[in-house]
């Protein structure tokens, strides 16, 4: 998983987020670099998706700043695309190919034969080119997610944000899509911010993993997982154990444990 990462792309400074009268995120400082796979992990309901939505521009911090290339993030835009856990993200009345062609036309102004050629290339990239003429209801959950990723990549985003995209899949399909996502990253270099509940997925896919506490969330630690490129390696096992410890240990105790693993 080792990689030479670029300059800071997204910088969160003392970020707090509250909505509907509840504090969701209390304090978050983080840096996402160009070409990085940055993972958010933490207990259910702790604020991972809230932080993701703030990077997209769906939510505005109540304190602190989130900056993209040094400028505070405002409204959502095609430079930040999202793939959700829900399988039904594609337009059901369009074929898989036409879903991608539509995105190319609306966001990039690419139409006609050029759009179809580009769409076919994207479907090949995510491994579902043979399903180009099928409708979403004819696809498995894994194929739908591949289609959603292809449509997101059609926008040529600066950041691909993924909210538990494999969480509802069976274990075999999930493992395959983890490999596929890593392959897509290697071929495109797109910056990825991923929310997951899976420690294994976080260590395998991430260059850095931000461990969040219970709500109102804080980032307890940002763990460098870039050297864990083999699931059977001692480093992978060590980092998985460290993340597990951070997730199940009260925050005050977890901070005291940091020095023991460094």
């Amino acid at each position: 998983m080792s990689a030479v990462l670029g300059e800071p792309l997204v910088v969160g400074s003392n970020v707090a987020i509250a909505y509907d009268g509840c504090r969701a995120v209390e304090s978050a400082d983080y840096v996402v670099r160009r070409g990085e796979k940055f993972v958010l992990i933490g207990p259910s309901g702790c604020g991972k998706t809230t932080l993701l939505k703030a990077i997209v521009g769906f939510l505005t911090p109540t304190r602190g700043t989130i900056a993209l290339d040094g400028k505070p993030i405002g409204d959502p835009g095609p430079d930040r695309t999202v793939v959700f856990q829900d399988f039904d993200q594609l337009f059901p009345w369009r074929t898989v190919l036409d879903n991608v062609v539509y995105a190319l036309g609306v966001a990039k102004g690419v139409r006609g034969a050029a759009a179809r050629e580009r769409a076919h290339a994207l479907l090949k990239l995510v491994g579902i080119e043979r399903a180009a003429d099928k409708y979403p209801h004819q696809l498995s959950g894994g194929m739908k997610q591949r289609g959603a990723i292809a449509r997101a990549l059609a926008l040529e985003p600066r950041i691909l944000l993924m909210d538990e995209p494999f969480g509802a899949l069976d274990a075999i399909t999930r493992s395959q899509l983890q490999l596929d996502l890593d392959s897509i990253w290697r071929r495109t270099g797109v910056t990825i911010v991923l929310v997951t509940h899976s420690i294994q997925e976080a260590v395998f896919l991430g260059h850095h993993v931000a461990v969040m506490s219970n709500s109102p969330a804080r980032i307890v630690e940002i763990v460098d997982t870039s050297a864990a490129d083999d699931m059977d390696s001692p480093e992978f096992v060590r980092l998985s154990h460290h993340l597990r410890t951070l997730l199940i240990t009260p925050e005050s105790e977890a901070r005291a444990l940091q020095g023991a693993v460094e």
Side-chain angles (χ1 to χ4, degrees):
M1 203 63 61
S2 298
V4 177
L5 303 178
E7 296 297 316
L9 180 60
V10 178
V11 177
S13 302
N14 194 31
V15 176
I17 304 170
Y19 59 93
D20 294 337
C22 298
R23 291 182 301 155
V25 177
E26 177 63 29
S27 177
D29 294 280
Y30 58 91
V31 175
V32 181
R33 296 182 176 274
R34 286 180 177 83
E36 177 174 14
K37 289 173 291 181
F38 188 87
V39 180
L40 298 167
I41 193 170
S44 295
C46 74
K48 301 183 295 298
T49 297
T50 297
L51 202 56
L52 191 82
K53 288 179 177 179
I55 296 174
V56 178
F58 292 153
L59 297 172
T60 301
T62 51
R63 186 187 70 235
T65 60
I66 303 176
L68 175 64
D69 261 346
K71 299 178 181 179
I73 289 176
D75 294 332
D79 59 343
R80 287 153 284 143
T81 58
V82 189
V83 175
F84 297 101
Q85 180 175 350
D86 183 9
F87 291 159
D88 295 320
Q89 298 170 65
L90 300 174
F91 298 131
W93 58 88
R94 294 181 183 271
T95 65
V96 177
L97 180 71
D98 284 343
N99 265 274
V100 181
V101 166
Y102 177 80
L104 286 165
V106 170
K108 308 301 290 186
V110 181
R111 295 180 172 84
R116 295 183 71 82
E117 181 178 354
R118 175 62 178 154
H120 274 293
L122 286 165
L123 294 180
K124 184 176 181 179
L125 175 68
V126 301
I128 58 168
E129 65 273 22
R130 294 183 178 179
D133 296 326
K134 293 185 179 295
Y135 288 87
H137 74 272
Q138 297 174 298
L139 305 180
S140 67
M143 294 175 75
K144 289 179 181 179
Q145 290 302 75
R146 288 184 174 93
I149 293 170
R151 189 175 65 179
L153 291 174
L155 306 184
E156 298 179 0
R158 303 183 70 188
I159 310 172
L160 177 61
L161 299 114
M162 310 184 80
D163 189 7
E164 281 281 343
F166 312 141
L169 298 169
D170 64 88
I172 295 174
T173 304
R174 182 170 188 157
S175 295
Q176 183 59 57
L177 279 175
Q178 290 169 359
L179 293 170
D180 291 344
L181 181 61
D182 186 58
S183 176
I184 290 167
W185 169 80
R186 291 179 187 278
R187 295 171 66 179
T188 64
V190 65
T191 303
I192 296 173
V193 178
L194 172 73
V195 168
T196 184
H197 285 100
S198 168
I199 292 173
Q200 178 267 351
E201 187 167 270
V203 177
F204 176 69
L205 287 175
H207 292 113
H208 289 90
V209 178
V211 181
M212 299 181 68
S213 67
N214 278 304
S215 182
R218 298 176 181 271
I219 292 182
V220 177
E221 184 179 345
I222 296 179
V223 181
D224 185 344
T225 55
S226 58
D229 52 5
D230 182 349
M231 293 187 187
D232 296 320
S233 70
E235 181 67 1
F236 191 97
V237 174
R238 184 189 74 81
L239 288 168
S240 297
H241 175 74
H242 181 49
L243 290 184
R244 187 173 295 107
T245 299
L246 291 172
L247 289 166
I248 66 175
T249 305
E251 183 178 348
S252 59
E253 296 179 31
R255 292 186 181 278
L257 288 171
Q258 288 181 25
V261 297
E262 295 175 350

